Amino acid sequence: VGDKVMVLARSGLWQEVVNVPASQTFLMPEGMSFEEAAALLVNYITAYMILFDFGNLRPNQSVLIHMAAGGVGTAAIQLCKTVENVTVFGTASASKHDSLKESGVAHPIDYRTMDYAEEVRKISPKGVDIVLDPLGGSDTSKAFNLLKPMGKLITYGVANLLTGQKKNLMAMAKTWWNQFSINALQLLHHNKAVCGYHLGYMDEEFELVGGVVAKLVNLYSQGKIKPKIDSVWPFDQVADAMRQMQEKKNVGKVILVPEAPKEESKKEEN
């Protein structure tokens, strides 16, 4: 009672009071803000398990990170920097490239104006060792083709299904139709791995997830990782917060808080 904790839950956290099992709570480390705590668990657990548990990231390897300025993307970039001489390729709109370079992306690529696969090949003709794929559809095929021998593709989302504020059934159908498919026999000839990851289905894996959180808290305490907060929005501005992401303006996490910070309230009063 009274401990400050970070909370994992599959859904239902956009409210002031929540009940979760104690096993889904983790002590916040010294010096961490509540906003950082809200930004840490889902993104950093995902990035960590993709890169290290599935990806087996080692020194001198290369990684392609899509949506590199988003929550998982910024977490993955920071985690790549904890391994010696890892080359990071990151896709994001051009306005975010300076920020990505500062954070450790060697090769930012504007996916809107360039074919990112061609850009990667220009710099690394053999491709890359690991691709993080939150996109789905035809991009998963491109990712598989970009892998070096013994490379690993980890798919963890289908962002291509989302094209705006409303459901786009045509986009959904197109993504479904273009979804990557390969069987075990075909994999034999490629010397590549395909993995799927979804933190939401790790509900019962307390020891596994707890072990990862302990490593992340340690990295945070050493100053090696720090959640990047793009903006903080009170609940009554949730539509604006969603728009910030849908219009792809955010660099880092968009955080919801029950009420506007007091300083802002004072400014409004003045």
Side-chain angles (χ1 to χ4, degrees):
V1 174
D3 283 339
K4 295 179 179 180
V5 292
M6 305 179 274
V7 174
L8 259 188
R10 199 187 290 194
S11 61
L13 293 182
W14 291 15
Q15 49 197 20
E16 292 177 24
V17 180
V18 293
N19 285 325
V20 296
S23 56
Q24 287 172 225
T25 64
F26 305 91
L27 280 173
M28 284 168 56
E30 201 68 36
M32 177 179 276
S33 69
F34 282 114
E35 288 78 11
E36 285 181 330
L40 185 87
L41 288 183
V42 171
N43 293 144
Y44 281 81
I45 293 171
T46 297
Y48 188 97
M49 295 186 86
I50 286 173
L51 285 170
F52 296 110
D53 293 316
F54 269 148
N56 191 24
L57 179 63
R58 300 191 303 282
N60 307 313
Q61 290 191 319
S62 52
V63 181
L64 171 60
I65 300 171
H66 286 296
M67 294 162 64
V72 174
T74 52
I77 293 163
Q78 290 179 14
L79 289 167
C80 283
K81 286 172 69 181
T82 67
V83 179
E84 195 181 345
N85 199 30
V86 170
T87 303
V88 177
F89 296 82
T91 66
S93 45
S95 61
K96 301 175 183 179
H97 285 195
D98 288 344
S99 171
L100 289 181
K101 281 181 179 172
E102 283 170 27
S103 66
V105 176
H107 307 291
I109 301 168
D110 182 1
Y111 65 94
R112 292 178 177 180
T113 60
M114 299 171 172
D115 180 331
Y116 64 82
E118 281 181 22
E119 294 303 308
V120 170
R121 293 268 184 215
K122 282 179 194 171
I123 296 155
S124 178
K126 281 191 171 181
V128 294
D129 295 291
I130 300 169
V131 179
L132 280 62
D133 171 36
L135 302 175
S138 58
D139 285 292
T140 309
S141 303
K142 286 175 82 168
F144 186 78
N145 292 328
L146 267 178
L147 292 177
K148 291 179 179 179
M150 300 303 289
K152 299 163 191 78
L153 158 65
I154 302 98
T155 185
Y156 67 98
V158 199
N160 283 334
L161 289 179
L162 305 172
T163 55
Q165 292 180 27
K166 295 180 181 174
K167 281 184 182 174
N168 183 332
L169 294 177
M170 284 297 291
M172 287 179 157
K174 185 181 174 187
T175 301
W176 183 260
W177 180 256
N178 289 325
Q179 189 55 42
F180 176 73
S181 180
I182 193 166
N183 65 42
L185 271 178
Q186 289 171 309
L187 274 176
L188 273 178
H189 309 294
H190 286 285
N191 291 307
K192 297 176 182 181
V194 180
C195 311
Y197 180 85
H198 194 309
L199 178 57
Y201 293 96
M202 294 270 193
D203 293 23
E204 303 302 314
E205 302 300 324
F206 307 126
E207 285 183 29
L208 181 61
V209 172
V212 173
V213 174
K215 289 170 185 164
L216 292 171
V217 166
N218 190 31
L219 288 170
Y220 176 87
S221 299
Q222 292 175 37
K224 291 184 177 177
I225 62 172
K226 187 175 177 63
K228 189 175 181 67
I229 310 296
D230 172 78
S231 50
V232 179
W233 307 77
F235 281 1
D236 59 7
Q237 291 180 27
V238 65
D240 297 324
M242 290 298 292
R243 206 170 292 116
Q244 179 81 352
M245 291 196 297
Q246 283 162 347
E247 294 174 1
K248 299 185 177 177
K249 291 178 179 174
N250 62 303
V251 177
K253 283 297 282 182
V254 174
I255 298 290
L256 294 179
V257 294
E259 295 173 353
K262 285 175 184 172
E263 291 167 282
E264 286 184 19
S265 304
K266 281 177 190 169
K267 281 179 194 170
E268 284 166 17
E269 284 166 20
N270 295 339

